[in-house]
Amino acid sequence: NREASFEKVTPRLALDYRLARDVLVYASVTNGYKSGGFDAGKPSEKAYEPEEVWSYEGGLKSEWLDRRLRVNLSAYYYDYDNLLTRSTINNALVLLNGAVKNKGIESEITFRPTRSLTLTSALSFQKPEYGDYVVAGVNYSGNRLAGASEFTAFHAVDYTFDVKGFAVALRAEHQ
């Protein structure tokens, strides 16, 4: 008999404040939830636990130079319980629940020096680590989360112009 029930109220508190017309600071605390369930490939196993995360974020959203320059900055901390992951142990696919802590900072800068040209850059640094996480007798607590990049960067150049009344847009990006 495979039955389970999962439900939860997920609160969120968010505050923002305008320091000036084009400068906003914000902070939020949010509880996220993904219900548990069953592994369809293993009908005899009990239900896996629901995922839950508490996220804390603060940042700044701003525009400068007559709104030609946008600068957004944020910092965050995520505290996961029962983060569901898949792994292969002894040639068998298994579902694992574990704790993960992730903290990071992000920036996004967009500059439009002319009507036709837009430059964008986004940078992110994070440090996701396993909390209480033991798999097949091996303790992964404190190790970096598998598959998670510590540093990411994105850059783009957009150029638009008219050709005989038609808008033409060119874009190059690098990640």
Side-chain angles (χ1 to χ4, degrees):
N1 187 7
R2 291 177 57 145
E3 289 185 24
S5 177
F6 304 99
E7 59 184 72
K8 179 165 176 64
V9 174
T10 55
R12 179 172 192 260
L13 173 65
L15 303 169
D16 61 54
Y17 180 74
R18 288 210 175 271
L19 297 174
R21 183 175 69 98
D22 292 332
V23 180
L24 175 107
V25 292
Y26 68 92
S28 70
V29 177
T30 306
N31 180 237
Y33 176 82
K34 184 163 69 172
S35 69
F38 296 95
D39 184 351
K42 300 198 172 146
S44 62
E45 288 190 7
K46 66 178 187 152
Y48 54 83
E49 295 296 316
E51 290 181 12
E52 184 174 0
V53 63
W54 279 98
S55 64
Y56 308 87
E57 182 176 349
L60 170 102
K61 295 183 179 281
S62 63
E63 292 182 325
W64 309 88
L65 305 174
D66 293 325
R67 297 186 174 178
R68 289 184 297 122
L69 174 65
R70 177 179 298 136
V71 178
N72 296 333
L73 306 170
S74 66
Y76 59 87
Y77 177 78
Y78 298 152
D79 185 2
Y80 289 92
D81 282 327
N82 295 321
L83 181 68
L84 184 65
T85 57
R86 294 184 181 274
S87 184
T88 303
I89 299 175
N90 295 329
N91 292 324
L93 184 64
V94 295
L95 299 175
L96 304 168
N97 290 84
V100 171
K101 313 283 188 219
N102 187 10
K103 54 189 167 191
I105 56 174
E106 295 179 341
S107 69
E108 179 188 351
I109 299 170
T110 302
F111 182 49
R112 191 169 186 179
T114 69
R115 281 185 155 202
S116 299
L117 181 63
T118 303
L119 309 170
T120 303
S121 181
L123 304 173
S124 175
F125 175 79
Q126 68 173 348
K127 190 173 181 183
E129 294 179 343
Y130 290 109
D132 181 24
Y133 196 71
V134 178
V135 177
V138 178
N139 186 351
Y140 290 95
S141 302
N143 289 339
R144 187 162 54 98
L145 184 64
S149 298
E150 190 172 53
F151 180 78
T152 58
F154 172 83
H155 309 288
V157 176
D158 293 281
Y159 188 74
T160 58
F161 57 95
D162 287 331
V163 174
K164 296 185 180 186
F166 292 95
V168 178
L170 303 175
R171 179 177 180 91
E173 50 184 61
H174 179 262
Q175 191 165 359

